[in-house]
Amino acid sequence: MQNKFTIGQMARLHDIPVKTLRYYDEIGLFEPYEVDPQTGYRYYTLEQFKKLDIIVYLKLMGVPLKEIKRKMEHSSLDEFIGTLAEYQQVTKEKIRHLQRVNAQLTTRMKELEQTRHINQIGAPFIKHLSSREVVQVKAEVGTLDGTESVLRDLKKKISHITPIMIGKVGFMLSVENTKKQQFTDYDGIFLLVESDISFKHELVTLIPEGDYASIYMREKRDTTGVYYDALLNFIKAEGYKAEGPFLIRRIVDSFISHHEEERLTEIQIRITS
């Protein structure tokens, strides 16, 4: 048949599954020009290519099939331009989201690369940090199950605003618990919020700007108190006061690397003169 195409030929020419073309026919979105009454074979014409192109284009833009069908049946220039304008806005928002995700990934990759060059393991030092916005949950967390339970609950509440990215989760530990040798009885969990995200939530709080005594360790966790004692002794020797709690963040954990020598945890605590 001249200028007529079987459903298989249409599928190959437009890179669309045969199943999809059959579905478009069933819902009345894109029907064949002709159906053989004896064989049931569907045939399409060259003139239908443009319509299928428009359907594919609108679907790619995110327009639901039901909306495409309505617009194909009652189309006008103004309405078509309005449709494109509407989904152009949706596309812009997707681009902004992807740019934000890309910036977050770039920052995280840079931080991970920098861990290769950290050599002052176990040596306390002081650094000045700007204020940091965090999502904070105060809860006693002493087990992995407890931690995951709190994180999953937190994800339900705020993941539509800021994703829980690996390495952005930290723990709070009171000075009192370290003195009691209770090094895994955390007082809460915090999630660092990306600097380009601003939102209001009852769980959002601010880690204040200031000087922080910090120490790095390669161990999975300090179960002996050596690093906490080192920080507290350093703070006292330098003439400062510790303003708890300790902030513990595993920058490189066992999920990121199976090599123990690559794992890195930072412990911080705010100090005042």
Side-chain angles (χ1 to χ4, degrees):
M1 296 181 181
Q2 190 175 5
N3 291 333
K4 288 188 180 180
F5 305 87
T6 65
I7 192 170
Q9 290 173 323
M10 284 290 284
R12 287 192 294 274
L13 286 169
H14 295 271
D15 194 24
I16 297 175
V18 169
K19 185 177 180 180
T20 298
L21 289 173
R22 289 198 181 108
Y23 179 67
Y24 287 175
D25 182 13
E26 289 173 9
I27 64 175
L29 174 63
F30 184 70
E31 301 171 338
Y33 174 78
E34 168 183 309
V35 178
D36 190 304
Q38 294 185 355
T39 64
Y41 289 168
R42 296 171 172 87
Y43 294 97
Y44 300 83
T45 66
L46 199 61
E47 288 74 19
Q48 291 181 287
F49 281 28
K50 186 63 177 179
K51 182 177 181 179
L52 185 57
D53 286 341
I54 293 174
I55 292 171
V56 172
Y57 175 73
L58 291 176
K59 185 182 177 185
L60 184 64
M61 292 297 102
V63 184
L65 293 179
K66 185 177 181 180
E67 183 70 9
I68 294 175
K69 184 175 183 295
R70 189 186 70 80
K71 292 183 183 300
M72 299 293 272
E73 292 172 348
H74 308 282
S75 60
S76 69
L77 178 59
D78 287 343
E79 188 168 353
F80 193 79
I81 292 174
T83 298
L84 295 184
E86 177 184 348
Y87 287 94
Q88 181 187 48
Q89 190 60 38
V90 172
T91 300
K92 286 180 178 179
E93 182 55 38
K94 289 180 180 179
I95 291 172
R96 284 193 291 269
H97 172 71
L98 290 174
Q99 287 174 334
R100 188 164 61 239
V101 171
N102 183 60
Q104 293 169 2
L105 291 172
T106 299
T107 299
R108 186 68 178 117
M109 289 167 61
K110 183 178 179 181
E111 181 183 41
L112 291 174
E113 283 292 340
Q114 289 174 342
T115 64
R116 301 178 186 274
H117 310 294
I118 294 176
N119 49 30
Q120 68 270 40
I121 304 298
F125 62 97
I126 296 174
K127 61 181 178 181
H128 187 84
L129 294 173
S130 301
S131 61
R132 291 163 285 174
E133 199 170 40
V134 298
V135 177
Q136 180 176 306
V137 178
K138 291 185 178 180
E140 293 183 3
V141 182
T143 64
L144 179 60
D145 288 343
T147 300
E148 287 303 316
S149 177
V150 172
L151 285 178
R152 291 316 102 194
D153 184 57
L154 186 61
K155 184 177 181 181
K156 291 178 183 177
K157 295 177 180 178
I158 55 87
S159 63
H160 64 291
I161 304 171
T162 177
I164 297 180
M165 291 190 67
I166 296 169
K168 293 297 183 181
V169 177
F171 300 88
M172 297 171 288
L173 179 64
S174 67
V175 174
E176 290 73 20
N177 275 353
T178 64
K179 291 180 178 178
K180 295 176 186 177
Q181 306 291 300
Q182 297 172 340
F183 307 113
T184 58
D185 290 344
Y186 301 117
D187 302 288
I189 294 176
F190 66 89
L191 170 65
L192 289 173
V193 178
E194 301 296 339
S195 59
D196 61 338
I197 298 176
S198 179
F199 67 98
K200 293 181 179 180
H201 195 283
E202 61 182 6
L203 298 177
V204 173
T205 187
L206 206 64
I207 297 178
E209 178 182 2
D211 292 325
Y212 286 78
S214 302
I215 194 169
Y216 290 113
M217 66 179 185
R218 292 290 185 189
E219 287 83 352
K220 184 177 181 181
R221 63 178 65 182
D222 183 358
T223 57
T224 64
V226 172
Y227 294 94
Y228 300 107
D229 289 342
L231 270 181
L232 292 175
N233 291 334
F234 170 75
I235 292 168
K236 184 177 180 180
E238 294 294 319
Y240 293 101
K241 295 180 181 179
E243 296 287 337
F246 287 102
L247 305 175
I248 305 111
R249 188 163 72 93
R250 294 167 193 160
I251 302 171
V252 179
D253 59 16
S254 57
F255 179 82
I256 295 175
S257 176
H258 289 176
H259 302 283
E260 292 188 6
E261 69 277 7
E262 292 182 337
R263 296 174 193 168
L264 186 72
T265 296
E266 182 178 12
I267 304 174
Q268 299 176 355
I269 189 167
R270 189 166 179 258
I271 58 175
T272 56
S273 56

